Amino acid sequence: MDFLTLIQIFDSTIRLATPLLLACLAGLYSERAGIFDIGLEGKMLMSAFFSAAVAAVTGSVWLGLLAGIASSLLLAGLHGLASITFRGNQLISGVAINFLAAGMTVLIAQDWFQQGGRTPSLFGGARFEPIDWPFAEALSGVPVVGPIYSELLSGHSVLVYIAFLAVPATWWVLYRTRFGLRLRAVGENPAAVDTAGVSVVGLRYAAVAICGVLCGIAGAYLATALQAGFVKDMTAGRGFIALAALIFAKWRPWHAMWACLLFGLLQAVALRFQNIDLGGVVIPVQAMDALPYILTVVILAGFVGKAIPPKAGGEPYVKER
């Protein structure tokens, strides 16, 4: 494998890890506040559809992004209403959101566009274009440094850079601000936070809202940057892979980034190498495609060490009277 091929694989890794990273950070905020959210998949799917649909109709990718975020926030509010206000089972609420999104997106797409549950292909201003860094083309011929700068770092859409900048931002918010301290405390001991005069309900709704925004960006990236339109079930389990990465990272932002890059690398390798020949044994492409999901099962089975979630996670808070 030559150096340029390696750079291309890493470039694909970054692109494929971006929606995982955004969804993983979304789950991080929600679960740190004590609200388990397995509805990441549904929120991403709903956002992917509405961002692609609005971008196709208006020709503006930014309006599409806003529509995707709004639709994701709507589902996040629904999850918050069920889990926080009505103290329902958080896992069932998340499953319901996934089913709701999977059915509604195809139904509405067929009604609006009559293209078999997909949106028209996006082009021009309806898609996020890659951003070329200064001197990227001029430096491309420089050995080692040139390909890294021009191919690996430059040429991604703005949402990729937002996703990776969100990692240090999340770390700073959670560990260096009063809001982050309270958010983490709500996930560990909501009664103590309530005793201090801070609204547990308000903090949990804030975490769910942040989760909705990040899932909205992730879904919009899938439909308007990584691909050129919406197709049925295009999230393809990415919400669940993001949850596995979150558990793998033990609910820490920097570790979450590396976990998502690992999953992205497996997807990139599966796309790049088809039917690998290992000493006369040919590994079929289906086995390569299954690698990220196999790793998900391995992680959730507990083979990567014990991951202890926030103590109050999944439990509705009942204020003492």
Side-chain angles (χ1 to χ4, degrees), residues 55-131:
V57 171
T58 64
S60 171
V61 70
W62 293 104
L63 289 178
L65 175 63
L66 290 177
I69 292 174
S71 64
S72 178
L73 274 172
L74 187 64
L75 289 184
L78 187 64
H79 182 57
L81 190 68
S83 303
I84 302 169
T85 302
F86 295 121
R87 306 188 188 111
N89 187 295
Q90 297 172 11
L91 299 181
I92 293 176
S93 172
V95 170
I97 285 173
N98 289 337
F99 281 122
L100 181 67
M104 280 189 63
T105 50
V106 177
L107 182 68
I108 299 174
Q110 179 61 23
D111 182 62
W112 285 3
F113 303 108
Q114 288 84 43
Q115 294 189 14
R118 64 172 63 209
T119 63
S121 295
L122 305 178
F123 55 89
R127 284 197 70 196
F128 281 105
E129 298 294 335
I131 298 174

Side-chain angles (χ1 to χ4, degrees), residues 45 108 114 132 153 166 174 189 225 264 293:
L45 191 61
I108 299 174
Q114 288 84 43
D132 291 323
L153 300 179
L174 287 179
N189 192 342
Y293 305 98

Side-chain angles (χ1 to χ4, degrees), residues 24-73:
C24 189
L25 293 177
L28 177 64
Y29 278 102
S30 183
E31 297 196 9
R32 275 290 192 173
I35 303 297
F36 287 164
D37 192 353
I38 62 172
L40 300 177
E41 179 91 357
K43 288 194 278 287
M44 289 171 66
L45 191 61
M46 189 70 82
S47 170
F49 167 69
F50 276 102
S51 61
V54 171
V57 171
T58 64
S60 171
V61 70
W62 293 104
L63 289 178
L65 175 63
L66 290 177
I69 292 174
S71 64
S72 178
L73 274 172

Side-chain angles (χ1 to χ4, degrees), residues 10 12 23 29 90 102 108 120 130 148 151 164 179 191 215 239 271 276 307:
F10 288 153
S12 297
Y29 278 102
Q90 297 172 11
I108 299 174
I148 292 175
E151 298 287 338
F164 282 90
F179 172 76
C215 280
L271 288 173
I276 297 178

